[in-house]
Amino acid sequence: MIEKLNAIRRQAEKEMNKVASYGELNDLRVKYLGKKGELTAVLRGMGSLSPEERPQVGQAANQVRSDIEKILEVRGNELKEQQLQESLKKETIDITLPGQNIFIGRKHPITLVIDQIKEIFLGMGYTISEGPEIELDYYNFEALNIPPEHPARDMQDSFYISDEVLLRTHTSPVQVRTMEKTVPQVPVKIICPGKVYRRDDDATHSPMFHQVEGLVIDKGISMGDLKGTLLTFARQMFGEDRQIRLRPSYFPFTEPSAEVDISCMMCGGEGCRVCSHTGWLEILGSGMVHPRVLEMSGYNPEEVSGFAFGMGVERVALLKYGIDDMRLLFENDLRFLTQF
Ligand code: DAH
Protein backbone atom coordinates (compact mmCIF):
# COMPACT_ATOMS: atom_id res chain seq x y z
CA MET A 1 0.00 0.00 0.00
CA ILE A 2 2.87 2.32 0.77
CA GLU A 3 4.22 1.58 -2.66
CA LYS A 4 0.85 2.54 -4.11
CA LEU A 5 0.89 5.84 -2.20
CA ASN A 6 4.37 6.68 -3.51
CA ALA A 7 3.22 5.85 -7.03
CA ILE A 8 0.31 8.26 -6.62
CA ARG A 9 2.69 11.02 -5.57
CA ARG A 10 5.02 10.43 -8.51
CA GLN A 11 2.12 10.35 -10.92
CA ALA A 12 0.62 13.51 -9.41
CA GLU A 13 3.91 15.38 -9.66
CA LYS A 14 4.38 14.35 -13.26
CA GLU A 15 0.91 15.43 -14.32
CA MET A 16 1.03 18.66 -12.38
CA ASN A 17 4.27 19.69 -14.04
CA LYS A 18 2.67 19.14 -17.42
CA VAL A 19 -0.46 21.24 -17.04
CA ALA A 20 -0.50 24.62 -18.74
CA SER A 21 -3.23 26.47 -16.82
CA TYR A 22 -4.46 27.13 -13.33
CA GLY A 23 -7.80 25.57 -14.25
CA GLU A 24 -6.21 22.28 -15.25
CA LEU A 25 -4.15 22.24 -12.08
CA ASN A 26 -7.36 22.55 -10.08
CA ASP A 27 -8.79 19.54 -11.89
CA LEU A 28 -5.74 17.56 -10.73
CA ARG A 29 -6.28 18.74 -7.16
CA VAL A 30 -9.72 17.18 -7.29
CA LYS A 31 -8.39 14.08 -9.00
CA TYR A 32 -5.82 13.38 -6.28
CA LEU A 33 -7.06 15.00 -3.11
CA GLY A 34 -10.82 15.27 -3.65
CA LYS A 35 -13.43 13.19 -1.85
CA LYS A 36 -13.54 10.81 -4.77
CA GLY A 37 -9.84 11.20 -5.45
CA GLU A 38 -7.11 8.63 -5.63
CA LEU A 39 -5.61 9.28 -2.22
CA THR A 40 -9.01 8.99 -0.56
CA ALA A 41 -9.57 5.70 -2.37
CA VAL A 42 -6.34 4.29 -0.92
CA LEU A 43 -7.23 5.47 2.57
CA ARG A 44 -10.61 3.75 2.30
CA GLY A 45 -8.82 0.48 1.92
CA MET A 46 -7.05 0.91 5.26
CA GLY A 47 -9.78 -0.97 7.05
CA SER A 48 -8.36 -4.22 5.81
CA LEU A 49 -4.92 -3.54 7.30
CA SER A 50 -3.60 -5.03 10.48
CA PRO A 51 -3.40 -2.74 13.56
CA GLU A 52 0.43 -2.66 13.22
CA GLU A 53 0.37 -1.60 9.58
CA ARG A 54 -2.33 1.04 9.97
CA PRO A 55 -0.25 3.83 11.62
CA GLN A 56 2.57 3.38 9.11
CA VAL A 57 0.27 3.57 6.15
CA GLY A 58 -1.61 6.49 7.78
CA GLN A 59 1.62 8.39 8.22
CA ALA A 60 2.74 7.67 4.69
CA ALA A 61 -0.66 8.80 3.36
CA ASN A 62 -0.42 12.10 5.29
CA GLN A 63 3.06 12.65 3.94
CA VAL A 64 1.90 12.06 0.39
CA ARG A 65 -1.04 14.43 0.93
CA SER A 66 1.20 17.21 2.20
CA ASP A 67 3.73 16.58 -0.61
CA ILE A 68 0.98 16.89 -3.19
CA GLU A 69 -0.34 20.04 -1.51
CA LYS A 70 3.10 21.56 -1.67
CA ILE A 71 3.46 20.72 -5.35
CA LEU A 72 0.02 22.25 -5.95
CA GLU A 73 1.04 25.44 -4.24
CA VAL A 74 4.37 25.87 -6.00
CA ARG A 75 2.94 24.97 -9.37
CA GLY A 76 -0.11 27.16 -8.76
CA ASN A 77 2.08 30.18 -8.11
CA GLU A 78 4.09 29.49 -11.23
CA LEU A 79 0.97 29.27 -13.35
CA LYS A 80 -0.56 32.43 -11.88
CA GLU A 81 2.59 34.39 -12.57
CA GLN A 82 2.75 33.00 -16.11
CA GLN A 83 -0.87 33.99 -16.79
CA LEU A 84 -0.29 37.48 -15.41
CA GLN A 85 2.73 37.96 -17.68
CA GLU A 86 0.74 36.81 -20.67
CA SER A 87 -2.18 39.11 -20.00
CA LEU A 88 0.17 42.05 -19.42
CA LYS A 89 1.77 41.32 -22.77
CA LYS A 90 -1.64 41.49 -24.42
CA GLU A 91 -2.52 44.69 -22.61
CA THR A 92 0.33 46.80 -23.93
CA ILE A 93 -0.68 50.46 -24.21
CA ASP A 94 0.29 52.46 -27.26
CA ILE A 95 1.60 55.64 -25.70
CA THR A 96 1.86 57.28 -29.09
CA LEU A 97 -1.95 57.33 -29.50
CA PRO A 98 -3.40 60.83 -29.12
CA GLY A 99 -5.14 61.43 -25.77
CA GLN A 100 -8.83 62.15 -25.40
CA ASN A 101 -9.58 65.85 -25.32
CA ILE A 102 -11.17 67.12 -22.13
CA PHE A 103 -13.30 70.21 -22.64
CA ILE A 104 -12.20 72.81 -20.12
CA GLY A 105 -14.65 75.59 -19.32
CA ARG A 106 -13.51 79.17 -19.38
CA LYS A 107 -14.61 82.62 -18.30
CA HIS A 108 -17.17 84.55 -20.30
CA PRO A 109 -15.77 87.76 -21.83
CA ILE A 110 -18.11 89.79 -19.59
CA THR A 111 -16.62 88.09 -16.51
CA LEU A 112 -13.10 88.63 -17.87
CA VAL A 113 -13.76 92.34 -18.28
CA ILE A 114 -15.37 92.68 -14.82
CA ASP A 115 -12.42 90.81 -13.29
CA GLN A 116 -9.99 93.13 -14.98
CA ILE A 117 -11.88 96.28 -13.95
CA LYS A 118 -11.91 95.00 -10.36
CA GLU A 119 -8.19 94.26 -10.54
CA ILE A 120 -7.38 97.79 -11.74
CA PHE A 121 -9.43 99.52 -9.02
CA LEU A 122 -8.32 97.15 -6.26
CA GLY A 123 -4.82 98.22 -7.26
CA MET A 124 -5.84 101.82 -6.57
CA GLY A 125 -7.12 100.96 -3.09
CA TYR A 126 -10.83 100.54 -3.82
CA THR A 127 -13.03 97.88 -2.26
CA ILE A 128 -15.91 96.06 -3.92
CA SER A 129 -19.46 96.76 -2.86
CA GLU A 130 -22.59 95.00 -4.09
CA GLY A 131 -26.30 95.69 -3.87
CA PRO A 132 -29.59 93.98 -4.76
CA GLU A 133 -30.85 93.67 -8.33
CA ILE A 134 -34.42 93.95 -7.06
CA GLU A 135 -34.33 97.47 -5.75
CA LEU A 136 -36.53 100.05 -4.07
CA ASP A 137 -37.64 103.02 -6.11
CA TYR A 138 -36.10 105.12 -3.34
CA TYR A 139 -32.53 103.89 -3.95
CA ASN A 140 -32.81 103.55 -7.70
CA PHE A 141 -34.23 107.05 -8.23
CA GLU A 142 -35.25 109.24 -5.36
CA ALA A 143 -32.06 109.17 -3.28
CA LEU A 144 -30.14 109.83 -6.51
CA ASN A 145 -31.95 113.09 -6.98
CA ILE A 146 -34.14 111.75 -9.76
CA PRO A 147 -37.52 113.38 -9.21
CA PRO A 148 -40.75 111.52 -10.00
CA GLU A 149 -41.32 113.34 -13.27
CA HIS A 150 -37.81 112.59 -14.58
CA PRO A 151 -37.79 110.66 -17.90
CA ALA A 152 -35.48 107.98 -16.43
CA ARG A 153 -38.44 106.83 -14.37
CA ASP A 154 -40.59 106.30 -17.40
CA MET A 155 -42.37 102.96 -17.49
CA GLN A 156 -40.77 102.48 -20.91
CA ASP A 157 -37.34 102.19 -19.30
CA SER A 158 -37.90 100.29 -16.07
CA PHE A 159 -39.21 96.89 -15.07
CA TYR A 160 -41.47 97.65 -12.12
CA ILE A 161 -42.49 94.85 -9.78
CA SER A 162 -44.81 97.02 -7.72
CA ASP A 163 -45.21 100.78 -7.16
CA GLU A 164 -42.18 100.83 -4.91
CA VAL A 165 -40.07 97.97 -6.20
CA LEU A 166 -38.29 97.49 -9.53
CA LEU A 167 -35.33 95.78 -11.18
CA ARG A 168 -32.53 98.30 -10.77
CA THR A 169 -31.89 100.24 -13.97
CA HIS A 170 -28.29 101.08 -13.02
CA THR A 171 -25.71 100.30 -10.32
CA SER A 172 -25.89 103.83 -8.91
CA PRO A 173 -28.24 102.80 -6.04
CA VAL A 174 -25.28 100.91 -4.56
CA GLN A 175 -23.65 104.33 -4.04
CA VAL A 176 -26.50 105.32 -1.75
CA ARG A 177 -26.69 101.99 0.07
CA THR A 178 -22.94 102.16 0.71
CA MET A 179 -22.99 105.76 1.92
CA GLU A 180 -25.81 104.98 4.35
CA LYS A 181 -23.56 102.34 5.89
CA THR A 182 -20.29 104.29 5.93
CA VAL A 183 -21.53 107.74 7.02
CA PRO A 184 -19.82 109.75 8.50
CA GLN A 185 -16.55 107.95 7.76
CA VAL A 186 -14.21 108.96 4.93
CA PRO A 187 -12.56 108.05 2.69
CA VAL A 188 -15.05 105.91 0.78
CA LYS A 189 -13.56 104.26 -2.30
CA ILE A 190 -15.72 101.60 -3.86
CA ILE A 191 -16.62 100.01 -7.14
CA CYS A 192 -19.90 98.16 -7.62
CA PRO A 193 -20.13 95.64 -10.45
CA GLY A 194 -23.44 94.02 -11.29
CA LYS A 195 -26.41 93.34 -13.53
CA VAL A 196 -28.92 96.03 -14.44
CA TYR A 197 -32.23 95.88 -16.31
CA ARG A 198 -34.01 98.10 -18.80
CA ARG A 199 -36.95 97.70 -21.10
CA ASP A 200 -34.97 97.76 -24.36
CA ASP A 201 -34.16 94.93 -26.69
CA ASP A 202 -32.54 95.58 -30.05
CA ALA A 203 -29.22 95.21 -31.85
CA THR A 204 -27.40 97.49 -29.43
CA HIS A 205 -29.50 97.01 -26.26
CA SER A 206 -30.20 93.97 -24.14
CA PRO A 207 -32.86 94.00 -21.39
CA MET A 208 -30.16 92.82 -18.98
CA PHE A 209 -26.64 94.16 -19.07
CA HIS A 210 -23.76 94.90 -16.71
CA GLN A 211 -22.37 98.05 -15.18
CA VAL A 212 -19.55 98.95 -12.88
CA GLU A 213 -20.18 101.94 -10.64
CA GLY A 214 -17.46 103.86 -8.86
CA LEU A 215 -17.69 106.20 -5.88
CA VAL A 216 -15.07 108.16 -3.97
CA ILE A 217 -15.86 110.46 -1.04
CA ASP A 218 -13.29 112.29 1.03
CA LYS A 219 -12.34 115.74 2.15
CA GLY A 220 -11.27 117.90 -0.78
CA ILE A 221 -12.04 115.54 -3.67
CA SER A 222 -12.01 117.45 -6.97
CA MET A 223 -12.71 116.93 -10.62
CA GLY A 224 -8.93 116.53 -11.05
CA ASP A 225 -9.07 113.37 -8.92
CA LEU A 226 -11.83 112.04 -11.15
CA LYS A 227 -9.86 112.76 -14.29
CA GLY A 228 -6.62 111.26 -12.98
CA THR A 229 -8.40 108.13 -11.80
CA LEU A 230 -10.16 107.58 -15.09
CA LEU A 231 -7.01 108.22 -17.11
CA THR A 232 -5.20 105.58 -15.05
CA PHE A 233 -8.08 103.20 -15.60
CA ALA A 234 -8.27 103.88 -19.36
CA ARG A 235 -4.56 103.24 -19.82
CA GLN A 236 -4.54 100.00 -17.84
CA MET A 237 -7.67 98.75 -19.59
CA PHE A 238 -7.07 99.89 -23.16
CA GLY A 239 -3.34 100.54 -23.45
CA GLU A 240 -0.69 102.92 -22.17
CA ASP A 241 -1.02 105.46 -24.98
CA ARG A 242 -4.74 106.17 -24.43
CA GLN A 243 -5.90 109.74 -23.83
CA ILE A 244 -9.20 110.71 -22.26
CA ARG A 245 -11.44 113.72 -22.62
CA LEU A 246 -14.34 114.92 -20.49
CA ARG A 247 -17.41 116.33 -22.20
CA PRO A 248 -20.00 118.30 -20.20
CA SER A 249 -23.14 116.28 -19.67
CA TYR A 250 -26.09 115.91 -17.34
CA PHE A 251 -26.95 113.33 -14.68
CA PRO A 252 -29.34 114.18 -11.85
CA PHE A 253 -26.99 112.73 -9.22
CA THR A 254 -23.80 114.58 -10.26
CA GLU A 255 -22.94 118.24 -10.62
CA PRO A 256 -21.01 118.98 -12.71
CA SER A 257 -21.43 115.89 -14.89
CA ALA A 258 -19.21 114.65 -17.65
CA GLU A 259 -19.19 112.00 -20.29
CA VAL A 260 -15.76 110.44 -20.67
CA ASP A 261 -14.26 109.42 -23.99
CA ILE A 262 -11.04 107.53 -24.65
CA SER A 263 -8.93 108.05 -27.74
CA CYS A 264 -9.83 105.32 -30.23
CA MET A 265 -7.45 102.36 -29.92
CA MET A 266 -8.27 101.11 -33.42
CA CYS A 267 -6.92 104.21 -35.19
CA GLY A 268 -5.02 105.91 -32.36
CA GLY A 269 -7.27 108.97 -32.68
CA GLU A 270 -6.93 109.40 -36.45
CA GLY A 271 -10.58 108.55 -37.07
CA CYS A 272 -11.94 105.22 -38.32
CA ARG A 273 -15.13 103.23 -38.69
CA VAL A 274 -15.12 102.09 -35.03
CA CYS A 275 -15.02 105.66 -33.66
CA SER A 276 -17.29 107.01 -36.42
CA HIS A 277 -14.31 109.07 -37.65
CA THR A 278 -14.20 111.18 -34.49
CA GLY A 279 -11.07 109.62 -32.97
CA TRP A 280 -12.92 109.21 -29.65
CA LEU A 281 -15.00 106.48 -28.01
CA GLU A 282 -17.48 107.17 -25.22
CA ILE A 283 -16.95 104.78 -22.34
CA LEU A 284 -18.66 106.13 -19.24
CA GLY A 285 -20.69 108.74 -17.39
CA SER A 286 -19.30 110.54 -14.37
CA GLY A 287 -19.33 113.65 -12.27
CA MET A 288 -18.98 115.21 -8.84
CA VAL A 289 -21.52 113.71 -6.45
CA HIS A 290 -24.46 116.12 -6.19
CA PRO A 291 -24.57 117.84 -2.77
CA ARG A 292 -28.19 116.75 -2.39
CA VAL A 293 -27.20 113.09 -2.90
CA LEU A 294 -24.49 113.38 -0.24
CA GLU A 295 -26.97 115.05 2.07
CA MET A 296 -29.73 112.45 1.58
CA SER A 297 -27.25 109.72 2.54
CA GLY A 298 -26.16 111.61 5.65
CA TYR A 299 -22.87 113.19 4.53
CA ASN A 300 -22.30 116.90 5.00
CA PRO A 301 -21.55 118.45 1.57
CA GLU A 302 -19.88 121.37 3.37
CA GLU A 303 -17.27 118.98 4.75
CA VAL A 304 -16.77 116.29 2.13
CA SER A 305 -17.05 115.95 -1.62
CA GLY A 306 -16.88 113.05 -4.01
CA PHE A 307 -16.86 111.83 -7.55
CA ALA A 308 -18.75 108.99 -9.15
CA PHE A 309 -18.75 107.17 -12.45
CA GLY A 310 -20.66 104.39 -14.13
CA MET A 311 -19.67 102.32 -17.14
CA GLY A 312 -21.31 99.67 -19.26
CA VAL A 313 -19.35 96.43 -19.16
CA GLU A 314 -20.68 95.13 -22.49
CA ARG A 315 -19.47 98.27 -24.21
CA VAL A 316 -16.02 97.92 -22.67
CA ALA A 317 -15.93 94.26 -23.76
CA LEU A 318 -16.93 95.13 -27.36
CA LEU A 319 -14.22 97.78 -27.58
CA LYS A 320 -11.55 95.76 -25.85
CA TYR A 321 -12.02 92.59 -27.90
CA GLY A 322 -13.13 94.25 -31.15
CA ILE A 323 -16.55 92.53 -31.12
CA ASP A 324 -19.03 94.19 -33.46
CA ASP A 325 -22.38 92.80 -32.27
CA MET A 326 -23.43 92.89 -28.62
CA ARG A 327 -25.81 89.96 -29.10
CA LEU A 328 -22.79 87.65 -29.41
CA LEU A 329 -22.20 88.23 -25.70
CA PHE A 330 -25.58 86.70 -24.82
CA GLU A 331 -26.00 83.90 -27.36
CA ASN A 332 -23.52 81.59 -25.62
CA ASP A 333 -22.30 80.11 -28.88
CA LEU A 334 -19.23 78.04 -28.00
CA ARG A 335 -17.55 78.98 -31.29
CA PHE A 336 -17.55 82.53 -29.96
CA LEU A 337 -16.93 81.86 -26.27
CA THR A 338 -13.92 79.57 -26.83
CA GLN A 339 -12.03 82.46 -28.40
CA PHE A 340 -11.45 84.12 -25.04
N1 DAH B 1 -26.11 105.57 -13.75
C1 DAH B 1 -25.77 106.13 -15.04
C2 DAH B 1 -26.44 105.32 -16.13
O1 DAH B 1 -26.83 104.21 -15.91
C3 DAH B 1 -24.29 106.12 -15.26
C4 DAH B 1 -23.59 107.08 -14.36
C5 DAH B 1 -23.36 108.38 -14.77
C6 DAH B 1 -23.16 106.68 -13.12
C7 DAH B 1 -22.72 109.28 -13.96
C8 DAH B 1 -22.50 107.60 -12.28
C9 DAH B 1 -22.27 108.90 -12.73
O2 DAH B 1 -22.05 107.24 -11.07
O3 DAH B 1 -21.64 109.74 -11.92
O4 DAH B 1 -26.57 105.80 -17.23
Side-chain angles (χ1 to χ4, degrees):
M1 245 178 137
I2 289 180
E3 191 40 48
K4 211 168 173 184
L5 286 167
N6 286 333
I8 288 173
R9 185 191 35 216
R10 279 196 301 275
Q11 182 66 20
E13 187 165 8
K14 209 163 118 193
E15 287 185 33
M16 286 173 187
N17 281 332
K18 255 193 274 175
V19 296
S21 75
Y22 197 70
E24 287 173 66
L25 186 69
N26 245 336
D27 292 344
L28 290 178
R29 177 196 304 278
V30 174
K31 176 175 172 189
Y32 287 100
L33 301 183
K35 266 190 204 151
K36 292 174 188 161
E38 302 208 2
L39 195 62
T40 317
V42 174
L43 292 174
R44 280 217 185 93
M46 272 175 66
S48 60
L49 295 175
S50 68
E52 299 83 54
E53 284 173 315
R54 242 179 254 167
Q56 284 176 18
V57 173
Q59 219 181 356
N62 280 339
Q63 185 61 48
V64 169
R65 169 180 287 277
S66 85
D67 286 352
I68 291 176
E69 277 169 351
K70 209 165 282 165
I71 296 165
L72 277 167
E73 193 190 322
V74 171
R75 190 72 189 119
N77 286 340
E78 277 171 18
L79 289 169
K80 268 192 239 167
E81 177 64 21
Q82 196 177 312
Q83 275 173 19
L84 179 67
Q85 292 300 334
E86 273 162 21
S87 65
L88 281 179
K89 246 179 247 162
K90 269 185 238 149
E91 272 177 26
T92 47
I93 295 165
D94 182 355
I95 57 164
T96 65
L97 283 174
Q100 271 185 343
N101 272 336
I102 297 170
F103 181 76
I104 297 173
R106 58 184 75 210
K107 286 185 179 174
H108 190 279
I110 293 292
T111 308
L112 287 174
V113 167
I114 291 176
D115 283 354
Q116 202 183 342
I117 295 171
K118 283 183 187 169
E119 197 70 25
I120 292 169
F121 283 99
L122 288 174
M124 291 195 263
Y126 286 63
T127 54
I128 291 162
S129 196
E130 284 182 352
E133 288 170 27
I134 298 170
E135 187 52 287
L136 290 173
D137 180 283
Y138 175 78
Y139 289 109
N140 197 80
F141 294 129
E142 207 168 314
L144 289 165
N145 197 32
I146 304 175
E149 68 279 9
H150 193 279
R153 285 188 165 219
D154 199 304
M155 291 293 286
Q156 292 298 314
D157 299 322
S158 313
F159 288 109
Y160 273 88
I161 292 165
S162 68
D163 283 353
E164 305 279 302
V165 181
L166 74 163
L167 296 180
R168 68 179 178 192
T169 58
H170 51 180
T171 43
S172 302
V174 188
Q175 288 188 32
V176 180
R177 287 180 172 274
T178 304
M179 285 191 280
E180 284 185 353
K181 278 182 229 151
T182 53
V183 72
Q185 284 162 271
V186 284
V188 175
K189 283 175 88 175
I190 54 152
I191 55 159
C192 328
K195 293 186 172 74
V196 300
Y197 301 84
R198 289 187 198 172
R199 291 181 56 170
D200 311 303
D201 195 4
D202 59 44
T204 52
H205 296 89
S206 150
M208 183 282 296
F209 59 103
H210 299 77
Q211 288 187 332
V212 176
E213 192 81 12
L215 173 71
V216 171
I217 303 170
D218 204 348
K219 291 195 166 113
I221 293 292
S222 73
M223 202 95 184
D225 297 311
L226 170 66
K227 191 171 181 190
T229 301
L230 294 177
L231 181 62
T232 303
F233 165 73
R235 291 185 169 170
Q236 289 195 32
M237 194 72 197
F238 295 105
E240 272 311 307
D241 43 4
R242 293 281 69 71
Q243 299 294 337
I244 64 167
R245 75 174 181 189
L246 273 61
R247 275 182 295 110
S249 185
Y250 171 76
F251 300 102
F253 34 93
T254 45
E255 180 59 36
S257 304
E259 232 136 8
V260 177
D261 300 339
I262 56 168
S263 55
C264 180
M265 60 278 203
M266 299 298 169
C267 59
E270 297 281 298
C272 67
R273 204 175 53 87
V274 174
C275 58
S276 309
H277 305 283
T278 63
W280 296 95
L281 297 161
E282 187 191 320
I283 56 159
L284 53 81
S286 66
M288 300 307 291
V289 181
H290 198 291
R292 219 173 302 160
V293 172
L294 286 172
E295 216 163 44
M296 273 189 277
S297 304
Y299 278 96
N300 182 352
E302 302 293 324
E303 282 171 14
V304 298
S305 56
F307 68 73
F309 58 86
M311 68 181 101
V313 176
E314 280 74 6
R315 176 145 178 84
V316 172
L318 297 192
L319 293 174
K320 187 166 171 68
Y321 296 119
I323 302 164
D324 57 12
D325 187 337
M326 196 187 60
R327 285 170 291 196
L328 285 166
L329 293 172
F330 299 110
E331 281 166 358
N332 289 332
D333 185 329
L334 284 179
R335 289 169 301 180
F336 172 74
L337 294 180
T338 51
Q339 293 177 47
F340 297 91

